[in-house]
Amino acid sequence: MRKRLGDLLVSSGLITSNQLEKALQEKSENQKLGDALVQFGYITERQLIEALEFQLGIPHISLYRYPFDETLFSLIPKDAAKRNLIVPLKKEDDKLYVAMADPMDFYLIEDLRLATGFHIETVIATKADILRAIHKYYDNEDDFDEFESEQVNIQAGQENITDNDSPIVRLVNQILTNALVQRASDIHIDPQESKVVIRYRVDGLLRVERKVPKNMQNMLISRVKIMANMDITEYRIPQDGRIRTNIDLRPIDLRVSTLPTVYGEKIVLRILDLRNVLNDINRIGFNELNLQRFKQLIEQPTGIILISGPTGSGKSSTLYAALNRLNKEEVNIITVEDPVEYQLEGINQIQVNPTVGLTFASGLRSILRQDPNIIMVGEIRDNETVEIAIRASLTGHLVLSTIHTNDSISTVTRLMDMGVEPFLIAASLNGIVSQRLVRKVCRDCAQKDIPTTREMDIFKKRGLRIDHVMRGEGCVSCNMTGYKGRVAIHEVLVMTDEMKKIIMNKQDLSELKKQAEQQKTVFLLDDGLMKVQAGITTTEEVLRVAYLE
């Protein structure tokens, strides 16, 4: 008798019986158990496939560098391949070998048999692997290099840019789809002297995806501008826009920014995947102590809480998770953001618009007349905003905001630099959370390794022990980088009475640090090193974002 998938995963030690129970309860009605376990992060897709191979007796395959027979792609249209997550591999006599994400879909296998006339043999591959192969090989049919942009009049060019079947529209769609398949957060379109380079930022690092001939530059940029409702005749000043679209039936929000450079306009598209927003505070990566302290901070009725870190360190996600936890029908939550990144149900969100005079400061003033309980200010940039935010927190409101500083203690200095009186900081500030993102070791190719002498020294200095570290060898899942996905490291500084006295008396900030150490604050570096101990990330990653003292 065949063992059930859940029992198989529990007996092989990949998940606990509690995790299995939770996944069975929380998965949506038509969702398969395996997909739910991957979605909750209990197992990786590759671990699921190896379990299915054992359970079903169907071999699994890696499509990375697989020698595809490209003549077979005409047997299964691209739309059908994408919709059903299948890709043809090879044929032998009357057999057609097909890689499938779900080899138990017998209706699909029968449809394929009738459509192709072959006897279908199935193998299992991961969804990401199949999608990557579809985009790589099916899109090869669109050979854009032969596309010559003649010096056509604007009218004809305009039709070319908006016609769904034109090469330029297909190219832009392909760039967006590939970015999603690779889980990119940003797309950079960089015009250079003789070519246009397209780069994706994946897990925080940029890499070149493809190069496009220079003669396609103007149409490529015009196409993106039309999608973002920008002025395509204006190329001398920076512009900002937004694209809302569905790619492979997923709602995607793109923030678009153009910048005139020597070789033409550079475009950066920030991808906001509306399905990826983490609304659960427990899944952001806080360690137990930090999680408990952060929850206590946000559950206070008044005061100001600041989240600090550079651009792209996940501050907004943490703010949204906090708002999601506080979002109940008995409280009035109003936010003022630039721009509104994710729309949250039951929360009043205001979009900053400086052209009509709606700035953070003027928006905040208006909010205070709307009887709010909780206010979220997207970012504290200037003296006026910080003063109103502090006044709001002193008049019975809870204020959440972000600020660009290196760590939690330097945030106090930054506020003083902005001209805020020390007694106001002491009276209003509840706590500061400093945050960075580090890449996670790929779970599919992670191997135990002996720590280097330098690593052991670093851990010893911070009073921690390390016996072994995990490093990724590089595999198909992580694009040979050894890392897949990112996790946040935090420093949660809760303001105590002693700290408030130090700020009021304008004492040296080293005193503040001593107080923080006394109340067992976990500093950024320490939180990172604990995650190295747990095998989640590497020391190199932690030192990339948190400095050694």
Side-chain angles (χ1 to χ4, degrees):
M1 193 181 127
R2 213 166 61 195
K3 233 182 177 183
R4 290 187 308 177
L5 177 68
D7 299 335
L8 190 72
L9 290 166
V10 172
S11 62
S12 61
L14 285 171
I15 58 170
T16 63
S17 42
N18 285 351
Q19 288 175 328
L20 175 61
E21 283 302 310
K22 194 176 175 204
L24 285 167
Q25 282 167 12
E26 293 186 13
K27 75 184 184 74
S28 52
E29 207 174 316
N30 299 324
Q31 195 178 24
K32 294 192 178 73
L33 173 64
D35 291 344
L37 289 167
V38 171
Q39 187 192 325
F40 294 140
Y42 297 151
I43 55 171
T44 67
E45 217 180 335
R46 187 156 147 195
Q47 288 168 334
L48 170 66
I49 275 185
E50 283 165 5
L52 283 171
E53 176 181 36
F54 185 76
Q55 187 202 25
L56 307 172
I58 298 174
H60 92 274
I61 189 170
S62 162
L63 303 180
Y64 187 73
R65 297 196 177 145
Y66 185 86
F68 283 97
D69 178 353
E70 295 191 30
T71 56
L72 299 177
F73 290 135
S74 57
L75 290 174
I76 301 174
K78 182 179 175 183
D79 289 346
K82 247 179 171 171
R83 191 173 57 248
N84 300 307
L85 292 169
I86 52 175
V87 66
L89 299 172
K90 60 179 181 181
K91 66 173 186 218
E92 282 176 7
D93 305 327
D94 65 337
K95 289 180 185 170
L96 176 66
Y97 286 81
V98 178
M100 301 177 74
D102 178 11
M104 298 304 285
D105 190 339
F106 297 117
Y107 291 114
L108 175 60
I109 295 170
E110 185 57 19
D111 287 347
L112 281 175
R113 189 182 69 79
L114 292 170
T116 60
F118 286 97
H119 178 69
I120 305 294
E121 290 284 336
T122 59
V123 295
I124 319 176
T126 64
K127 287 180 184 175
D129 226 2
I130 290 174
L131 279 172
R132 212 175 282 139
I134 291 171
H135 291 305
K136 187 171 176 184
Y137 292 98
Y138 276 95
D139 288 336
N140 251 359
E141 299 163 15
D142 304 336
D143 197 354
F144 297 111
D145 293 356
E146 291 170 15
F147 168 67
E148 286 295 325
S149 78
E150 297 119 25
Q151 294 302 317
V152 284
N153 61 38
I154 286 288
Q155 204 59 40
Q158 192 88 3
E159 280 165 21
N160 240 343
I161 294 167
T162 49
D163 175 17
N164 282 340
D165 287 331
S166 77
I168 205 73
V169 172
R170 292 207 309 274
L171 172 64
V172 172
N173 291 349
Q174 199 180 311
I175 289 169
L176 295 179
T177 315
N178 281 351
L180 280 184
V181 170
Q182 296 188 33
R183 309 179 335 277
S185 60
D186 302 82
I187 304 169
H188 288 240
I189 300 174
D190 294 332
Q192 294 180 0
E193 191 170 7
S194 57
K195 58 185 178 292
V196 181
V197 176
I198 288 153
R199 296 186 293 169
Y200 291 164
R201 188 180 291 282
V202 179
D203 290 340
L205 298 182
L206 279 168
R207 61 161 178 255
V208 174
E209 168 64 14
R210 70 191 296 170
K211 292 172 182 157
V212 175
K214 185 74 174 172
N215 58 18
M216 294 173 68
Q217 177 178 316
N218 291 345
M219 296 192 92
L220 177 62
I221 288 167
S222 298
R223 171 63 190 158
V224 175
K225 282 175 150 184
I226 281 176
M227 289 173 79
N229 287 328
M230 292 178 176
D231 180 356
I232 65 166
T233 59
E234 181 54 81
Y235 50 86
R236 295 158 303 179
I237 55 170
Q239 292 187 64
D240 289 309
R242 192 169 195 157
I243 301 172
R244 297 204 78 156
T245 181
N246 279 334
I247 295 174
D248 291 347
L249 306 175
R250 282 161 72 175
I252 301 294
D253 220 341
L254 298 155
R255 276 162 44 192
V256 187
S257 163
T258 71
L259 186 73
T261 69
V262 181
Y263 297 120
E265 285 175 288
K266 172 181 167 71
I267 294 189
V268 176
L269 299 99
R270 162 72 61 90
I271 301 171
L272 303 169
D273 186 344
L274 302 178
R275 293 193 321 182
N276 278 357
V277 59
L278 269 175
N279 283 334
D280 185 353
I281 207 166
N282 300 309
R283 290 175 57 196
I284 284 178
F286 281 109
N287 65 41
E288 277 178 41
L289 178 68
N290 281 345
L291 180 62
Q292 179 199 336
R293 287 182 172 178
F294 186 61
K295 282 179 179 171
Q296 282 170 354
L297 278 179
I298 62 173
E299 277 158 12
Q300 292 186 17
T302 64
I304 189 164
I305 299 160
L306 295 174
I307 299 184
S308 82
T311 310
S313 57
K315 300 188 296 291
S316 300
S317 299
T318 305
L319 271 183
Y320 281 126
L323 287 180
N324 209 44
R325 184 180 172 85
L326 298 167
N327 189 7
K328 300 182 181 77
E329 65 173 76
E330 57 267 23
V331 291
N332 178 18
I333 303 179
I334 306 183
T335 74
V336 52
E337 304 169 59
D338 179 23
V340 172
E341 287 189 20
Y342 297 107
Q343 276 139 19
L344 299 175
E345 207 173 323
I347 290 178
N348 310 287
Q349 294 169 282
I350 301 170
Q351 167 88 41
V352 167
N353 186 352
T355 49
V356 295
L358 177 55
T359 59
F360 277 125
S362 63
L364 247 176
R365 278 203 188 89
S366 313
I367 286 176
L368 291 172
R369 300 186 204 108
Q370 290 276 325
D371 180 34
N373 300 86
I374 298 164
I375 299 168
M376 190 266 265
V377 185
E379 191 185 326
I380 284 181
R381 295 179 187 166
D382 53 45
N383 171 271
E384 194 182 4
T385 313
V386 72
E387 285 202 345
I388 304 165
I390 284 176
R391 295 255 150 74
S393 70
L394 291 172
T395 52
H397 306 92
L398 180 67
V399 180
L400 305 170
S401 188
T402 68
I403 190 164
H404 288 277
T405 54
N406 284 333
D407 57 18
S408 53
I409 290 167
S410 60
T411 304
V412 176
T413 325
R414 176 87 178 97
L415 291 172
M416 288 179 180
D417 284 348
M418 283 177 154
V420 183
E421 292 292 344
F423 72 88
L424 283 176
I425 298 175
S428 61
L429 196 57
N430 290 353
I432 305 158
V433 179
S434 184
Q435 175 170 327
R436 299 286 188 285
L437 290 178
V438 291
R439 292 185 294 167
K440 291 196 287 190
V441 174
C442 171
R443 282 163 63 181
D444 286 329
C445 61
Q447 298 290 333
K448 275 189 183 178
D449 198 3
I450 301 161
T452 62
T453 321
R454 180 162 184 255
E455 277 179 311
M456 289 167 98
D457 284 350
I458 292 167
F459 274 85
K460 199 172 170 188
K461 267 184 196 160
R462 308 301 293 185
L464 298 165
R465 268 181 62 88
I466 183 90
D467 303 317
H468 67 268
V469 290
M470 298 299 274
R471 300 192 205 282
E473 291 188 323
C475 66
V476 186
S477 309
C478 60
N479 245 332
M480 299 297 160
T481 58
Y483 295 100
K484 186 173 184 183
R486 287 191 290 176
V487 67
I489 59 172
H490 300 94
E491 175 174 306
V492 179
L493 185 73
V494 180
M495 283 291 155
T496 59
D497 291 342
E498 286 79 12
M499 287 182 180
K500 290 183 176 184
K501 277 179 197 156
I502 291 168
I503 295 170
M504 292 257 291
N505 301 333
K506 299 185 183 174
Q507 283 171 263
D508 193 40
L509 286 185
S510 58
E511 295 296 318
L512 211 55
K513 183 142 198 217
K514 281 180 197 158
Q515 279 299 327
E517 283 165 356
Q518 274 178 27
Q519 64 156 11
K520 296 191 168 54
T521 299
V522 179
F523 293 104
L524 266 179
L525 182 65
D526 300 329
D527 191 29
L529 294 179
M530 284 176 189
K531 287 188 166 77
V532 176
Q533 265 180 333
I536 297 169
T537 185
T538 60
T539 318
E540 295 81 17
E541 272 300 292
V542 174
L543 294 182
R544 194 168 61 83
V545 296
Y547 49 84
L548 274 169
E549 288 158 28

